[in-house]
Amino acid sequence: MTASPKIELMAPAGDFESLQAAIDNGADSVYFGVEQLNMRARATVNFTMDNLPEIARRCKLKKIRTYLTLNTIIYDHDLSVVKTLLNKAKAANITAVIASDQAVIAMARAIGMEVHLSTQLNITNIETIRFYSLFADTMVLSRELSLRQVKKITEQIQKEQIKGPSGKLVEVEIFGHGALCMAVSGKCYLSLHSHNSSANRGACKQNCRKKYTVIDQESGFEMELDNEYIMSPKDLCTLDFLDQVIDSGIQVLKIEGRGRAPEYVATVIKTYRQAINSYYEDTFSKDKITIWMEALNTVYNRGFWSGYYLGQELGEWSAVPGSMATQKKVYVGKGTHYFQKANVGEFKIEAYDIKAGDKILITGPNTGVQEMTIDEMYVNDIFSDKATKGDLCTFKVPFRIRLSDKLYKIVQA
């Protein structure tokens, strides 16, 4: 094994539920957006500036690094907001800012804030690494590189001892799992042309995820692109060759998914945490990979492929418009009370029926994502096997629930 110390597992956080899910399931760092100046401005709720101290507080308790994502195109009218945001992030002790615009990079450096460079900069070679080492400590490489190319870059950083502003060797980060865009490093203009809604300002309308008919304007010949959504790539998954990924010399493995549900974050981070630990324990095996892949398939995905890391020149396209997950969640109700001495949670059933033996999810801003099976329960204070809409249901819950928590039933997709 060539990589030491253990690589950093970076988790997405689109809201407090996802943040807590990342913390609880083994993330080493989290990245998140604040309000509108990030590449998932419309895909998720996003945090506010006032949330920064709480984000930092929760993560500090678990020694988890925090990264503010501020990687959109910046216009003149954005500059005052950017300055305010960076100052508040610095005051809240957020670890670093992920940026691509030179204005953001310069502002962050001026206040002594650590800078990481976004994949939007499309870094593909060692000369670019040398140049940006003047400004940044960590760099996300282009998603279009192969592992062979990645390894060549990491070896050259070691050989030349290329250091960032902190005085430490430049860290290399790559994406390891999640949605892929058909555009080079995510630089797409389809949404801007069709809806005046720029993907590069975090407002992508996802035109590429739809089915299209192609018409030859000269002959009038019409072709329906059946069976494949040819602009919608399958999701990236590196788990089955994670040993090769780690051996490429990277320091940070980034999981995409700030726009996805908290149970996605919980499952993916937990699975990659197990796989990374297994690699360093020398127990990484095909049998374990099979089990891990089954887990990844239970949450939102468009099917999986290896990206360009193994040298594949063409992408693999999704055969469906949405998720291919083997499981889905259905809303059941909300938390109403927690009896702490008895470890019992009370829920108001508002939608779907629930019964003893069901597999459930309980999610909330402080609870994160908790998965369990109901052993037995009481309905309206009477022992029962089933609860329906309007009922008050209680059952053993080995963790505190809150009024903001939501109860879901997990069913086969």
Side-chain angles (χ1 to χ4, degrees), residues 213-223:
T213 299
V214 177
I215 300 174
D216 184 329
Q217 292 292 333
E218 292 184 6
S219 66
F221 178 77
E222 184 174 307
M223 178 176 64

Side-chain angles (χ1 to χ4, degrees), residues 332-333 347-355 377-380 384-393:
V332 173
F347 297 87
K348 177 73 172 180
I349 307 303
E350 297 183 324
Y352 208 73
D353 293 349
I354 197 167
K355 61 183 185 298
M377 62 184 183
Y378 283 79
V379 178
N380 302 323
S384 178
D385 288 333
K386 184 178 181 180
T388 59
K389 186 176 180 179
D391 288 337
L392 273 178
C393 172

Side-chain angles (χ1 to χ4, degrees), residues 36-41 69-74 78 98-101 104 120 199-202:
Q36 297 302 306
L37 294 176
N38 71 93
M39 293 300 288
R40 293 295 182 272
T69 303
L70 220 171
N71 59 343
T72 59
I73 291 173
I74 301 297
D78 298 319
I98 301 173
S100 60
D101 192 291
V104 180
Q120 300 298 116
N200 299 296
R201 294 276 288 174

Side-chain angles (χ1 to χ4, degrees), residues 13-14 36 42 83 87 89 98 105 123 197 235 274 281 307 337 341 349 378 402 411:
Q36 297 302 306
R42 288 194 181 178
K83 186 174 183 180
N87 283 327
I98 301 173
I105 295 169
I123 297 171
S197 185
D235 283 2
Q274 291 173 351
E281 293 163 1
H337 191 71
K341 288 184 178 179
I349 307 303
Y378 283 79
R402 301 160 177 87
V411 299

Side-chain angles (χ1 to χ4, degrees), residues 7 11 13 21 26 35 37-38 76 81 110 113 125 131 137 154 225 231 239 264 310 336 370 383 399 402 406:
I7 65 167
E35 296 170 7
L37 294 176
N38 71 93
D76 280 326
V81 178
M113 192 168 187
N125 60 74
F131 173 75
D137 294 289
T154 61
L225 304 175
M231 292 189 292
L239 190 137
Y264 171 90
L310 300 181
T336 53
Q370 303 291 341
F383 184 75
F399 49 87
R402 301 160 177 87
K406 295 177 181 178

Side-chain angles (χ1 to χ4, degrees), residues 44-58:
T44 186
V45 176
N46 286 302
F47 295 99
T48 67
M49 292 190 196
D50 291 339
N51 294 146
L52 290 170
E54 176 62 11
I55 294 169
R57 185 194 69 81
R58 290 196 197 186

